[in-house]
Amino acid sequence: MARPSAALGRGQGKPMTFDHDTGMAEGLGEPPQTEPATHTVLTQLRERIVTGQFAPDSKLRAEALAADMNVSRTPVRSALAVLSAEGLVSYGMNRGYTVRAMGIGDVFDAIDVRAALEGLAARLSVEVGWAEDALSELEALARSGRAIVDGNTWSEAIELDWYRINRLFHMAIHRASQNTVLRNAIRMTLIYPLFGDPARLCPSVAAHVPPRLRQVPDTTPEFIQRSQTQHEQIAAAIRGEDAEAAGRLMSAHVLATKTRLHAIATRR
């Protein structure tokens, strides 16, 4: 039995909603103090950076970005400050903000750190305790992912749907840890796309992956099938209140991404 607890964490009582345009869960993806306009701008700028739409070392001018995104300069400047703290952009007194060049080693380093932090989040979530409705929602997300995988058809649109569910699953666990410092630390590791296969969408990885391994298949990829099974194992460990297993399974789950990317990025 799951312990009755405020699994929504600090600020509990606010229902979790999902923005299908940004693919983010409200209240889970950004710090609680982020204003809505800044949240939107931050999400869009981060996506453009990690997918290479902004080239490394290119300058990011608040005025030009505000005009392009049809917002005021204030949320753009706030978003750039957050991106600087995350390490995706750098700031110089005489240069302003520039996109930081990311190599494949940076991606692997980020995954290593993320694996440790997400494992901790999973373990803490069990130790803190899950409210039954929150745990049921986590299991429902796992079932939604399973329905997509078992359909055994694949496309960019289906991939996007599965990765949306994937993010919600992970974010629910982050939130259930009730540790704001940990959640912010996890957010700092988001230097590669979380809305699709990084082997295709992350330029610093894709540059090392043969074209044939960057193609979108017609059937569910094996790595997605494995990842889905791991989600279900993590949810089962949480349901069984096995904190150590939940943490171990989550760390291994995140590291599996590094193992796969390393294997295909070095293959010739």
Side-chain angles (χ1 to χ4, degrees):
M1 292 294 291
R3 301 183 188 92
S5 173
L8 289 178
R10 297 170 179 84
Q12 59 253 52
K14 180 179 180 181
M16 183 175 72
T17 58
F18 185 56
D19 184 337
H20 286 276
D21 293 324
T22 65
M24 298 296 289
E26 181 184 350
L28 298 180
E30 304 302 339
Q33 68 271 21
T34 303
E35 295 296 328
T38 300
H39 174 100
T40 300
V41 171
L42 178 58
T43 299
Q44 293 179 7
L45 290 180
R46 187 188 290 118
E47 178 177 330
R48 293 184 189 183
I49 291 171
V50 299
T51 58
Q53 296 177 52
F54 290 141
D57 299 320
S58 61
K59 293 186 180 296
L60 298 177
R61 295 183 174 86
E63 295 80 1
L65 291 172
D68 179 60
M69 304 175 79
N70 196 30
V71 296
S72 71
R73 285 174 290 182
T74 299
V76 173
R77 287 170 175 161
S78 297
L80 289 173
V82 173
L83 292 170
S84 178
E86 293 178 353
L88 288 176
V89 304
S90 57
Y91 178 78
M93 288 297 294
N94 298 319
R95 300 182 62 218
Y97 291 100
T98 58
V99 177
R100 182 180 163 223
M102 293 284 180
I104 191 170
D106 293 304
V107 174
F108 290 160
D109 288 346
I111 294 173
D112 282 336
V113 175
R114 187 176 179 86
L117 295 177
E118 290 224 39
L120 176 59
R123 178 171 63 79
L124 288 179
S125 77
V126 176
E127 292 177 355
V128 170
W130 285 70
E132 180 58 35
D133 57 348
L135 182 50
S136 295
E137 175 62 23
L138 185 76
E139 293 170 332
L141 289 168
R143 288 194 299 271
S144 295
R146 170 57 61 186
I148 292 176
V149 167
D150 286 350
N152 203 31
T153 58
W154 206 251
S155 65
E156 288 190 35
I158 294 173
E159 178 183 84
L160 178 62
D161 283 343
W162 188 88
Y163 271 93
R164 282 173 173 166
I165 294 169
N166 174 64
R167 280 195 309 282
L168 282 175
F169 182 90
H170 283 259
M171 289 175 178
I173 294 173
H174 304 167
R175 189 172 186 174
S177 73
Q178 299 191 40
N179 189 314
T180 301
V181 174
L182 177 58
R183 288 170 57 194
N184 286 340
I186 291 172
R187 187 169 52 83
M188 300 274 290
T189 68
L190 302 181
I191 67 170
Y192 61 97
L194 296 180
F195 44 85
D197 184 2
R200 188 178 77 258
L201 299 177
C202 183
S204 58
V205 176
H208 299 271
V209 177
R212 63 186 176 81
L213 298 178
R214 286 186 265 125
Q215 300 301 312
V216 180
D218 296 326
T219 58
T220 306
E222 289 186 9
F223 76 91
I224 293 290
Q225 296 179 31
R226 290 192 296 269
S227 186
Q228 176 60 42
T229 298
Q230 290 160 3
H231 281 184
E232 293 159 358
Q233 292 170 340
I234 292 166
I238 291 173
R239 169 63 74 179
E241 297 187 351
D242 190 335
E244 293 304 318
R248 183 180 66 254
L249 289 167
M250 178 60 84
S251 291
H253 170 61
V254 177
L255 284 175
T257 297
K258 177 186 174 181
T259 300
R260 169 182 171 258
L261 293 179
H262 187 273
I264 65 176
T266 57
R267 185 178 299 176
R268 292 293 181 265

